Amino acid sequence: MRRRPTTALAAFMLAAFMLADIAQAGCREVTHEGRGYTVCSADPTATEIRLFRLSPDGQVLGSFSRVNDMLAGEGKALAFAMNAGMYHPDRAPVGLYIENGEAQARVVTSAGPGNFGMLPNGVFCVGADRAQVVESRAFAQTPAACRHATQSGPMLVIAGKLHPRFLPDSTSRNVRNGVGVDDRGVVHFAISDRPVTFHEFGRLFRDVLKTPQALYLDGRISRLYAPDLGRADGGFPMGPIVGVVTDAPR
């Protein structure tokens, strides 16, 4: 009978995989505590991480296929992508949003209803040669230089600890996706294969991906584009999309 690898062994195998091929952005399937996830990682010093919401003529892109169509004009394509934060019915971002150096919405630091307002929330910021997850109020006090940024909430992991409002025995489950940055600066995007709680999802980032800071992006509408895995989730139009861009195959 084949035995499942222990959590420690699974984490070691995942780390070895990432170190062996970290310069090439890619996705893989990970099992943690009996729950399945897809994790996509990228080194921002070796890959191009971008946010997408509007086309050059100001229309909401809303789908992975439309982003790829736009990138084709640059001779590029998505290596992988996922939805990148919460948005209003018109697909406008709820909080801070920066695309190609242009701020389209301001940072929100007040508490409010829903997951976004469950403080502390945070900002995923992509700069010239690094990416980081920063708590929103800290970001507002000392803004980082972001070429791309999206705000969402709640934070999943804060200084190595789970968000204080996460409950181990919660019954609130959704398919969820998020992003974290480890101590080497590697960015890890993850999406659950089935509904999970915040506590379960946060433990993936804290215990397996080893990200001292991690941010929840969204739930229920969470979708992934990972062509290497044969995955291109469809559905109704999205708001912001985050993806790693590479040269288009010839």
Side-chain angles (χ1 to χ4, degrees):
M1 180 176 176
R2 186 178 179 183
R3 298 179 62 187
R4 289 181 178 270
T6 65
T7 299
L9 178 59
F12 173 81
M13 293 170 64
L14 176 62
F17 175 91
M18 292 187 295
L19 286 170
D21 196 28
I22 202 63
Q24 298 297 321
C27 303
R28 65 265 179 211
E29 296 175 351
V30 174
T31 300
H32 178 53
E33 300 176 335
R35 302 174 188 88
Y37 302 89
T38 301
V39 176
C40 300
S41 301
D43 180 348
T45 67
T47 57
E48 184 181 5
I49 303 173
R50 289 169 57 178
L51 282 159
F52 305 92
R53 192 177 78 87
L54 300 177
S55 65
D57 61 358
Q59 299 299 308
V60 175
L61 290 164
S63 69
F64 302 128
S65 60
R66 291 195 66 188
V67 172
N68 261 330
D69 289 345
M70 182 182 71
L71 288 173
E74 305 175 24
K76 295 182 179 294
L78 289 171
F80 64 79
M82 63 172 50
N83 53 295
M86 300 171 192
Y87 49 88
H88 296 292
D90 64 354
R91 311 303 182 221
V94 173
L96 177 74
Y97 185 77
I98 300 172
E99 185 174 330
N100 290 321
E102 180 182 345
Q104 298 181 17
R106 295 181 177 182
V107 65
V108 176
T109 58
S110 57
N115 294 326
F116 184 94
M118 189 193 303
L119 300 184
N121 58 21
V123 172
F124 173 60
C125 165
V126 181
D129 58 359
R130 65 177 296 210
Q132 57 186 317
V133 172
V134 184
E135 189 273 324
S136 295
R137 291 182 174 177
F139 185 94
Q141 290 179 354
T142 310
C146 309
R147 180 162 179 79
H148 295 273
T150 184
Q151 182 182 7
S152 191
M155 291 281 285
L156 294 168
V157 184
I158 311 151
K161 296 182 180 180
L162 297 184
H163 193 291
R165 291 182 60 183
F166 291 174
L167 302 176
D169 57 352
S170 172
T171 59
S172 176
R173 295 179 178 273
N174 275 307
V175 172
R176 304 184 189 275
N177 71 300
V179 59
V181 182
D182 69 24
D183 286 334
R184 297 166 298 157
V186 177
V187 183
H188 304 288
F189 300 92
I191 184 171
S192 64
D193 293 346
R194 59 186 175 88
V196 294
T197 67
F198 274 129
H199 206 281
E200 292 163 351
F201 196 42
R203 294 200 301 265
L204 172 77
F205 282 92
R206 183 192 65 184
D207 301 339
V208 178
L209 302 178
K210 304 294 184 183
T211 58
Q213 303 282 111
L215 178 65
Y216 178 62
L217 291 176
D218 213 340
R220 288 186 291 182
I221 63 95
S222 298
R223 272 173 276 166
L224 175 68
Y225 174 77
D228 288 349
L229 299 181
R231 183 167 173 177
D233 299 347
F236 52 82
M238 295 174 280
I241 294 169
V242 62
V244 168
V245 176
T246 187
D247 291 337
R250 297 183 179 181

